[in-house]
Amino acid sequence: MADRHWTPEIVAERLEEAADTLRRLPPVRVRGHASSWPEVVRDVREAYGWDEARPRLGPPSPAAIDAMDEALRWLAWLEPDEARLVWLRAEGVRWKLICYRFGVGRSTAWRRWVCALVKIAARLTGTETAALGRPTGCLRDRNALNEHDKTVETK
């Protein structure tokens, strides 16, 4: 994974693809009550509007499923709230609903989302912040980050 330069945008795109792949997998059905009676066959006049139409895309390719499994493993590197936030955004949940769920403002939710993506991208590229002596959490002060980079370069 360290052979490629990962950015937060690439990570977000891969997580969105993983959410799309997961959505395209067949639904899991619990075996339970079964009947030996055949299904009732309805004609067109009776069947119209009986059930809501649910169009589905075709099943995902094996390569897409492998990429989804890899992307889902990335969420284990995050704190539970960060992973939940990143996955909600990958599924396309609106910011307003995310803010309501987490009890934070839009800009705070966005900063936490970006911070989580940066953590994943740093780990994928092999430049983890902990390895550079930085705190593992998201740095809030850009000036402190720049000062830290200057001191690391001079050493």
Side-chain angles (χ1 to χ4, degrees):
M1 282 186 263
D3 59 338
R4 174 179 173 181
H5 182 71
W6 291 87
T7 62
E9 293 83 14
I10 294 172
V11 171
E13 183 179 307
R14 286 283 304 270
L15 287 167
E16 288 171 7
E17 290 171 5
D20 181 53
T21 301
L22 191 63
R23 198 175 303 118
R24 291 172 58 188
L25 287 173
V28 177
R29 296 194 177 151
V30 179
R31 291 188 167 217
H33 179 73
S35 174
S36 60
W37 283 85
E39 289 289 321
V40 175
V41 179
R42 295 184 176 14
D43 65 358
V44 176
R45 293 177 306 221
E46 292 176 334
Y48 181 74
W50 188 267
D51 291 327
E52 185 177 324
R54 287 179 257 143
R56 280 193 53 218
L57 296 173
S61 68
I65 293 172
D66 290 341
M68 177 197 68
D69 287 338
E70 179 187 5
L72 289 176
R73 276 188 240 118
W74 300 344
L75 297 177
W77 300 339
L78 303 173
E79 297 294 322
D81 283 343
E82 290 174 328
R84 196 170 301 117
L85 172 65
V86 168
W87 188 251
L88 287 172
R89 278 306 296 162
E91 287 183 326
V93 176
R94 294 181 304 139
W95 280 113
K96 186 173 186 175
L97 297 174
I98 291 173
C99 294
Y100 179 75
R101 182 172 182 171
F102 286 93
V104 295
R106 163 82 169 75
S107 58
T108 302
W110 182 82
R111 277 195 310 267
R112 290 179 184 176
W113 175 69
V114 169
C115 179
L117 294 177
V118 167
K119 284 181 185 180
I120 294 172
R123 183 142 181 198
L124 288 170
T125 55
T127 58
E128 292 184 64
T129 54
L132 297 174
R134 296 179 186 158
T136 56
C138 190
L139 292 175
R140 300 187 192 290
D141 187 6
R142 186 179 300 252
N143 294 331
L145 176 60
N146 292 336
E147 289 298 320
H148 178 77
D149 288 342
K150 290 176 187 174
T151 58
V152 169
E153 290 173 4
T154 58
K155 289 184 183 178

